[in-house]
Amino acid sequence: MNAPFKTPDIDAPLWDLSDLYASRDDARLADDLTRARALVDEMNGLRGRLAGASGDPAALGAVLDQAISLYEQASDILGALGAYAFLSASTARDDAGAQGFEADVREKITVIATPTVWLTLEINQIDDAALEAALQAHAGAARWRPWLRRVRAMKPHELSSELETFIAERGPITAQWPRLFDEQLAALRAHVGKKGTGNESLTLAEALNRLSDPKPARRKAAAEGLSEALAARAPTLALVLNTVAADKAMEDRWRGFKRPADSRHLANEVDGEAVDAMAEAVAEAYPRLSHRYYALKAKAMGKARLDHWDRNAPIETTAPRAFTWSQGREIVLDSFSDLGAEFAERAAGFFDRPWIDGRARPGKQSGAYAHPVTADRHPYVFLNWMGERRDVLTLAHELGHGVHQTLAADQGTLLADTPLTLAETASIFAEGLTFDRLLATAPKREQRGLLAGRIEDGLNTVVRQIAFHRFETRFHDERQKGEVSQQRINELWLTEMGASLGPAVTLNPGYEHWWAYVSHFVHSPFYVYAYAFGDLLVAALMEARRADPKGFTPLYRDLLAGGGAKTYVEALKPFGLNPRDPAFWSVGCKRLERLVDQFEALG
C-alpha cells in the first residue's frame, strides 16, 4: 500500500463475519468443535483398514473414499473455526482478547486434528500398484487422485507416527512466534516530525503509505521515522526470525530435505532447479530492469540518485489522483468484465455482501489478503484502503484471489487448494487488467506517472521478491551454522537489496532494518518467490490472451476452476505454454523491459 493520503476512506467497508460466527461467545463454536471431534472419531475408526484391504482393490477404494471424505468434512468445520479466529484477530492486533482467542482456537483445533496424522501415513504405506488398482476399482476414490498425488509426494519425507503427532501437537506453540511478530508490528509507531506541534505517530501501514507522498520531505520523514521504529524492535524481530528458521531447519533435517527451500518447492510441486533458474534469470536482468529504470526515474525527478524513500514516489510533483471506494469498485468490476460477465458478477458479490474489510484503522494489521476459508463457505478480502492508485490495484489483486477461490470451490476443500505456483495467477492477472484500464482512461498528462507506477509494481513483484528470496536463502543457509546476529541480518539485507536496486538508489542509514517488516519471512518461509513466479507466468498468459482473446477466456476459467487438480505444467498445457522451457521465464522480463523502453520514450 503506497498512498499519500493521511486519513483512510470512511466509505471503505467493514466485513461482517457472522456468516461464520456471531461473536467469540457464539455457542456454535463449541458445537462445531464437538461435530468435528465426532467426525475425526468416526474417521479414526477406520485406522488399520487400509492395510487390511490392500489385497482387494474395490474394498481398498471404498475405505479410502470414506476416510478422505470424513477428513475433508472435519477440515471444513475446523477450517471455518480457524478462519474466524484469524480474521477477527487480524483487525484487532491490539486487542489481547482477540489474540488470546485466536491462540486458544488454534490449540483446540490441533487437539482434534492431530489424531488424523495416521491417514496420510497409511496411504503412503500402500504399494503404488495397489493404490492405482483401488482408484480404478472405485469411482469415489478416483476423485481424490490429485490430493493423493500431493500426499504421495511427501512419502520420502514422512516420519514415524509418533514424530508426526509430536510435530502436529507442537504447531500451536511454534505459532506463537509469528504471533509475537504480528503484535510487534501492530504496536509499532513511526514518529514523524519534531516533537510537539506537527508531530505525527504513524502505524506501519500509514508510514509505508507516506512513501508515495508527492512531497520529498514527507517521504523522508516517514522513512526515517519508520527506520527508527524498526530499529527499536529489530532485536526482538531478529530473535523471532532466528527461532523460526532454527525450528524449520530441525524439522527439515529430520525429514531429509537437503536445502531450506526444498519443503516449499515440494508443496508447490515445482523443481527447486526451476526456481533457481528463474531467480538467476531475474538477477541477471537486474541491470536491464531495475538499475536502468531507477536511473531513468532519478533523471526524471531531477536527481543524480534516488534515496530509498523515492523508490515508489510519484514522478509528478502534483498530488496523484485520489480514488473513492466507489470509484475503485467501478474500475475493478469494469476490468473484470473484460474477461467476461461471470468474472465481474463473482467479483461484485464481494461488494454486494459484507465480505470485504477495506477500512484502515488502528490495531488492524498491515497488508492485504484473500482468505478462502473453506470450499463450503465463501472467501473474505482484507486490505487497507487509502484511496491511491496502488490501492485500486491491490483491490483487484485480492479480488482476483477471491474469484479464483469461488471458481475452485466446486472441487471441495482438499482439491480446491492451489499450489503457490498457480495461487498468484488470478490475482496478478486481475491487477494487470485493472492497470490497463487505468492507463487507457487516464488523461495524457497522467500516463507517464501511471506507466511509472506499473513498472514499479512489476519491479516490486518480480525483482524485489527475487531479492527477498535471495536474502532469505542466504539467511537460512547461515542459520544452519548457528544464530545469525542482527548486524549480519542487516548486512545480508543491504547486500541483496543493493544488488537489486542498483547504483541509482541510495540505501540511506536505517534502511538496514527494513527486513523486519516483511511478514512472509516469519509466516511462510520461502513464499516470496511465488509472486515472481506468478507474475512471469501471467505475462506469458497475457501474451496468449493477446493472440486469441475469445479463445482465451474459457481456457482461463478452466485453469482457475481446476484448483489444485493439476500441476502447473499440466494446467498451462492447453495454452501451449511450457514452463520447463528456460525461454518461458524470459517472456515476463522482456515484457517489463518493453515498459521501461516506453517510459524512456515518453521522456
Side-chain angles (χ1 to χ4, degrees):
M1 301 168 301
N2 298 314
F5 309 106
K6 180 178 176 181
T7 56
D9 187 341
I10 60 172
D11 291 331
L14 304 176
W15 58 28
D16 181 354
L17 301 180
S18 60
D19 283 354
L20 294 171
Y21 300 96
S23 71
R24 300 201 296 262
D25 299 320
D26 193 329
R28 291 179 297 164
L29 290 161
D31 292 343
D32 282 350
L33 286 168
T34 299
R35 286 201 302 131
R37 191 177 294 110
L39 286 165
V40 169
D41 288 344
E42 184 180 354
M43 189 193 95
N44 288 345
L46 301 173
R47 187 169 187 172
R49 295 267 302 277
L50 295 177
S54 60
D56 184 341
L60 178 57
V63 176
L64 271 172
D65 187 27
Q66 184 182 4
I68 299 172
S69 296
L70 289 167
Y71 180 78
E72 182 174 63
Q73 292 171 46
S75 297
D76 283 340
I77 296 171
L78 295 177
L81 286 160
Y84 176 73
F86 169 75
L87 294 169
S88 300
S90 66
T91 59
R93 289 298 177 195
D94 57 350
D95 181 349
Q99 306 313 302
F101 174 74
E102 182 185 20
D104 182 55
V105 168
R106 189 184 296 119
E107 289 181 6
K108 289 177 178 177
I109 289 172
T110 301
V111 169
I112 294 172
T114 297
T116 68
V117 298
W118 68 267
L119 178 60
T120 55
L121 294 174
E122 285 199 16
I123 287 172
N124 282 339
Q125 289 169 6
I126 301 171
D127 177 80
D128 288 346
L131 180 61
E132 181 58 32
L135 300 186
Q136 294 284 352
H138 193 281
R143 175 176 178 269
W144 303 110
R145 189 184 294 274
W147 183 77
L148 289 167
R149 181 190 71 228
R150 297 199 290 272
V151 169
R152 300 288 277 187
M154 190 64 181
K155 184 176 180 178
H157 305 285
E158 282 186 337
L159 304 175
S160 67
S161 177
E162 291 79 10
L163 280 174
E164 293 291 354
T165 299
F166 169 75
I167 291 170
E169 289 183 348
R170 189 188 58 171
I173 300 170
T174 58
Q176 297 306 303
W177 291 103
R179 174 187 173 184
L180 174 61
F181 178 90
D182 288 342
E183 290 179 357
Q184 287 283 309
L185 293 187
L188 179 149
R189 295 295 181 270
H191 296 289
V192 176
K194 297 180 180 179
K195 292 185 178 180
T197 305
N199 179 254
E200 292 181 275
S201 179
L202 303 181
T203 64
L204 173 62
E206 290 168 338
L208 293 173
N209 291 336
R210 188 67 63 84
L211 300 180
S212 292
D213 196 282
K215 296 183 179 179
R218 284 167 61 82
R219 296 196 302 269
K220 179 181 179 182
E224 291 178 342
L226 182 54
S227 291
E228 184 178 350
L230 288 171
R233 296 180 183 272
T236 299
L237 298 175
L239 173 61
V240 171
L241 192 62
N242 268 283
T243 305
V244 168
D247 184 67
K248 173 178 166 46
M250 181 175 64
E251 183 173 335
D252 284 350
R253 187 168 58 252
W254 276 90
R255 293 193 181 280
F257 289 113
K258 294 181 179 179
R259 302 192 307 171
D262 282 351
S263 59
R264 178 66 68 186
H265 298 332
L266 182 67
N268 289 343
E269 298 187 285
V270 64
D271 295 330
E273 291 77 10
V275 176
D276 293 342
M278 177 187 68
E280 287 302 318
V282 173
E284 191 272 333
Y286 284 172
R288 303 192 305 274
L289 299 176
S290 49
H291 297 187
R292 179 184 168 212
Y293 171 73
Y294 290 126
L296 291 170
K297 181 171 184 176
K299 181 180 178 181
M301 295 179 71
K303 303 183 70 170
R305 299 182 72 188
L306 298 175
D307 293 297
H308 79 81
W309 51 76
D310 296 326
R311 193 170 53 82
N312 291 321
I315 292 287
E316 311 302 333
T317 56
T318 56
R321 178 186 174 191
F323 297 88
T324 65
W325 176 258
S326 60
Q327 289 172 329
R329 166 184 171 145
E330 181 180 359
I331 291 167
V332 169
L333 291 182
D334 285 346
S335 301
F336 275 64
S337 69
D338 290 341
L339 275 174
E342 181 188 6
F343 287 88
E345 289 167 5
R346 286 179 180 271
F350 286 79
F351 294 100
D352 297 339
R353 305 172 183 90
W355 295 356
I356 302 176
D357 197 297
R359 194 179 308 171
R361 54 198 185 276
K364 183 178 180 181
Q365 71 185 44
S366 63
Y369 62 77
H371 197 304
V373 188
T374 57
D376 64 340
R377 305 294 185 114
H378 62 77
Y380 286 92
V381 163
F382 173 105
L383 72 157
N384 287 271
W385 178 269
M386 303 294 284
E388 197 254 355
R389 173 198 61 85
R390 177 63 254 172
D391 297 318
V392 178
L393 296 177
T394 297
L395 178 61
H397 182 104
E398 301 307 337
L399 281 171
H401 279 306
V403 168
H404 189 178
Q405 290 156 3
T406 63
L407 281 167
D410 288 344
Q411 297 280 348
T413 295
L414 296 185
L415 301 184
D417 187 35
T418 307
L420 292 182
T421 43
L422 289 172
E424 294 297 330
T425 302
S427 54
I428 296 173
F429 201 99
E431 195 173 336
L433 289 175
T434 302
F435 171 77
D436 289 344
R437 181 166 290 273
L438 284 171
L439 185 62
T441 58
K444 191 170 184 179
R445 65 180 182 277
E446 294 182 11
Q447 289 182 358
R448 188 175 75 150
L450 277 172
L451 185 60
R454 182 55 177 163
I455 294 169
E456 289 161 17
D457 291 342
L459 295 178
N460 287 337
T461 304
V462 176
V463 170
R464 187 168 173 80
Q465 298 303 323
I466 289 301
F468 284 0
H469 175 68
R470 290 164 68 92
F471 159 78
E472 195 172 19
T473 299
R474 294 183 64 182
F475 166 75
H476 279 264
D477 285 345
E478 293 198 12
R479 183 64 183 91
Q480 291 182 320
K481 303 171 187 175
E483 185 164 313
V484 184
S485 69
Q486 180 195 330
Q487 180 180 355
R488 180 57 180 160
I489 296 173
N490 294 349
E491 291 170 356
L492 294 173
W493 175 257
L494 289 177
T495 297
E496 292 301 331
M497 293 305 106
S500 68
L501 294 171
V505 179
T506 299
L507 303 183
N508 308 83
Y511 187 72
E512 65 270 19
H513 304 296
W514 283 44
W515 55 267
Y517 82 85
V518 184
S519 62
H520 286 100
F521 295 155
V522 171
H523 282 274
S524 305
F526 297 100
Y527 184 105
V528 291
Y529 77 74
Y531 289 109
F533 194 108
D535 192 274
L536 296 175
L537 187 153
V538 165
L541 285 174
M542 284 189 157
E543 292 298 319
R545 179 174 179 262
R546 185 173 290 109
D548 181 13
K550 183 175 287 189
F552 177 84
T553 295
L555 293 177
Y556 182 66
R557 188 196 185 284
D558 288 346
L559 182 150
L560 300 185
K566 295 180 179 179
T567 67
Y568 74 101
V569 173
E570 294 168 336
L572 293 175
K573 196 171 183 179
F575 300 92
L577 300 173
N578 179 14
R580 288 178 173 158
D581 182 349
F584 176 86
W585 303 111
S586 68
V587 174
C589 290
K590 289 178 180 176
R591 186 169 181 271
L592 189 52
E593 193 173 350
R594 287 199 301 269
L595 291 177
V596 179
D597 292 341
Q598 189 177 348
F599 178 82
E600 184 174 23
L602 287 174

